[in-house]
Amino acid sequence: MKVPFLNLKAAYASLQSELDAAAQRVMASGSFILGAEVSAFEEEFSDYCGTKFCIGVGNGLDAIYLILRAFDIGPGDEVIVPANTYIATWLAVSYAGATPVPVEPDVATFNLDPASIEAAITPRTRAIIPVHLYGQPADMDPINEIAKRYGLKVIEDAAQAHGARYKGRRVGGLGDAAAFSFYPGKNLGALGDAGAVVTDDKQIRDRLEALRNYGSQIKYEHEIKGFNSRLDELQAAFLSVKLRKLEDWNQRRKEVANQYLKGLAGIPNLKLPFVPLHTDPTWHLFVVRHSDRERLQKHLADHGVGTLIHYPRPPHLQGAYAESIQAAGSLVISEQLAAEVLSLPIGPHISTEEVDYVIDVIKSFATDSSKANCAQGESANLP
């Protein structure tokens, strides 16, 4: 059996008539930039997230960056970021001219550890960016409490967590503003790059609407130095179609995750995801840990199972941050996770049979490894 890591063709096939109709509607309208489709999606997505406002932008990286700019965070400022995250979280801070200050994750959830935040705060700290990694919400109450005590902004990086809940509330409305990516592989994915910011702050909404559009809210009047980062009408139309399916698709992801959790329980050296009782993740990714990750990944590939590593090298060890003071060995938890994590196939269109096959292949790897270890032990005992 062949099990791809992600099947985007299936997502299109399941909604082909609606997506094709949306494309035709946009093309026939003659309106392609910041028109009715963007306005409609912004209203729909803000309602979904439980926030007052949504501002469509070009992509998830721009969403974080523009939030920082809207809060006037820039040169001379520091922003606390997870050490264990995709590099886009750090890049947004760097592009704003501020300095990303990494904090290690909770080893159980892989998310920013609230207990480690205060030690990283300095007089230059302006904000905290918790990432809801893999679709699991970060522990927001203690993060918000620390931020309130020190007068810091909280910016959610919700790029992987569309629809996830923390203590009954959807992510996006848990901080001062939240950034979303609609990259095609996300739970809510466009058919190209796209992103959005959600917030309850009208002043920030107004600044973002100007920042994304050359600093202008009135044509040819430019109050601030802005950018060109606008959600495309076509992508907005596609996203509106997909948003109506998001809850069903997230529910299917949960079913797949539960199938994995049950089928893979008790396998030696395989660490499964941990879900705190107060979170309701949307399982953008199903990430396991294994001390012999490369051999396990090869075994899966040899049996037709696609996997990915999210992420093989943490930001502080990337060439982009070669000037950073965080050398190898300085962020031990993040480096250990990078050496062991492996993402298994998951999505709303993977079948129960495919998931069972992945489970069986992993079990066969465990059996083979056990036999090999026994054989080595017997060989070592020979006279």
Side-chain angles (χ1 to χ4, degrees):
M1 183 182 291
K2 297 287 186 181
V3 184
F5 176 74
L6 180 64
N7 186 354
L8 293 180
K9 289 183 178 180
Y12 170 66
S14 67
L15 294 173
Q16 182 174 353
S17 60
E18 294 170 77
L19 292 170
D20 288 354
Q24 291 291 335
R25 183 175 69 248
V26 172
M27 289 186 286
S29 73
S31 176
F32 305 115
I33 301 292
L34 295 182
E37 299 289 349
V38 169
S39 295
F41 174 73
E42 289 175 336
E43 183 175 348
E44 292 162 3
F45 194 64
S46 62
D47 286 346
Y48 178 81
C49 292
T51 59
K52 293 180 181 178
F53 309 112
C54 171
I55 306 92
V57 298
N59 54 69
L61 172 57
D62 283 1
I64 306 173
Y65 168 67
L66 292 173
I67 293 172
L68 292 165
R69 285 298 308 271
F71 283 126
D72 290 321
I73 295 173
D77 297 328
E78 293 178 350
V79 177
I80 291 174
V81 296
N84 180 51
T85 185
Y86 184 55
I87 197 171
T89 314
W90 288 43
L91 290 175
V93 176
S94 298
Y95 289 156
T99 301
V101 177
V103 168
E104 287 272 57
D106 178 334
V107 71
T109 65
F110 303 176
N111 275 327
L112 185 64
D113 185 358
S116 301
I117 290 175
E118 283 194 83
I121 295 175
T122 75
R124 296 170 59 191
T125 307
R126 292 284 311 281
I128 305 170
I129 304 182
V131 177
H132 305 308
L133 198 65
Y134 309 150
Q136 170 144 264
D139 195 0
M140 294 300 295
D141 280 356
I143 292 173
N144 281 322
E145 191 278 327
I146 293 168
K148 182 177 180 181
R149 191 159 9 113
Y150 286 90
L152 308 177
K153 297 298 183 183
V154 176
I155 301 166
E156 297 174 75
D157 182 341
Q160 300 182 1
H162 313 73
R165 288 182 172 87
Y166 173 82
K167 297 185 178 180
R169 296 176 60 198
R170 282 207 177 103
V171 303
L174 306 176
D176 294 289
F180 284 89
S181 167
F182 303 122
Y183 181 77
K186 305 297 187 184
N187 290 36
L188 178 61
L191 274 66
D193 274 322
V197 175
V198 296
T199 184
D200 287 329
D201 188 325
K202 183 180 184 302
Q203 183 177 357
I204 294 303
R205 188 277 307 270
D206 292 344
R207 283 182 61 82
L208 285 165
E209 286 187 341
L211 281 167
R212 72 175 176 182
N213 189 36
Y214 299 101
S216 172
Q217 286 185 304
I218 300 173
K219 196 171 182 68
Y220 301 134
E221 293 185 17
H222 306 271
E223 299 86 11
I224 56 178
K225 297 181 179 70
F227 308 87
N228 178 9
S229 180
R230 302 172 296 207
L231 177 60
D232 185 89
E233 279 285 284
L234 191 60
Q235 299 302 338
F238 293 149
L239 287 166
S240 289
V241 171
K242 288 189 168 187
L243 181 57
R244 294 192 284 271
K245 294 291 294 183
L246 181 57
E247 285 299 287
D248 290 341
W249 284 353
N250 282 346
Q251 179 58 38
R252 175 57 189 153
R253 286 176 179 270
K254 294 176 188 178
E255 293 169 0
V256 172
N258 287 332
Q259 189 178 349
Y260 275 137
L261 290 170
K262 181 178 179 180
L264 297 174
I267 294 179
N269 299 319
L270 188 74
K271 297 180 181 179
L272 299 178
F274 169 74
V275 180
L277 292 177
H278 58 263
T279 66
D280 182 14
T282 51
W283 299 103
H284 172 60
L285 298 172
F286 189 93
V287 180
V288 299
R289 292 176 60 189
H290 199 284
S291 57
D292 200 357
R293 193 249 323 271
E294 277 66 31
R295 246 185 6 107
L296 173 58
Q297 186 176 36
K298 183 179 184 304
H299 181 82
L300 286 159
D302 289 345
H303 289 78
V305 177
T307 60
L308 286 178
I309 298 172
H310 296 87
Y311 300 96
R313 184 182 299 173
H316 73 283
L317 298 182
Q318 298 282 356
Y321 287 95
E323 80 285 357
S324 172
I325 62 171
Q326 286 83 26
S330 62
L331 296 166
V332 177
I333 298 174
S334 296
E335 292 174 31
Q336 183 179 5
L337 291 176
E340 296 182 356
V341 294
L342 185 66
S343 300
L344 304 181
I346 193 169
H349 301 97
I350 190 172
S351 70
T352 299
E353 293 73 22
E354 287 174 320
V355 178
D356 280 337
Y357 178 72
V358 176
I359 292 169
D360 289 342
V361 172
I362 294 175
K363 286 181 175 178
S364 72
F365 174 80
T367 301
D368 292 348
S369 297
S370 179
K371 289 179 179 178
N373 290 336
C374 289
Q376 289 176 358
E378 292 172 359
S379 176
N381 292 327
L382 290 175

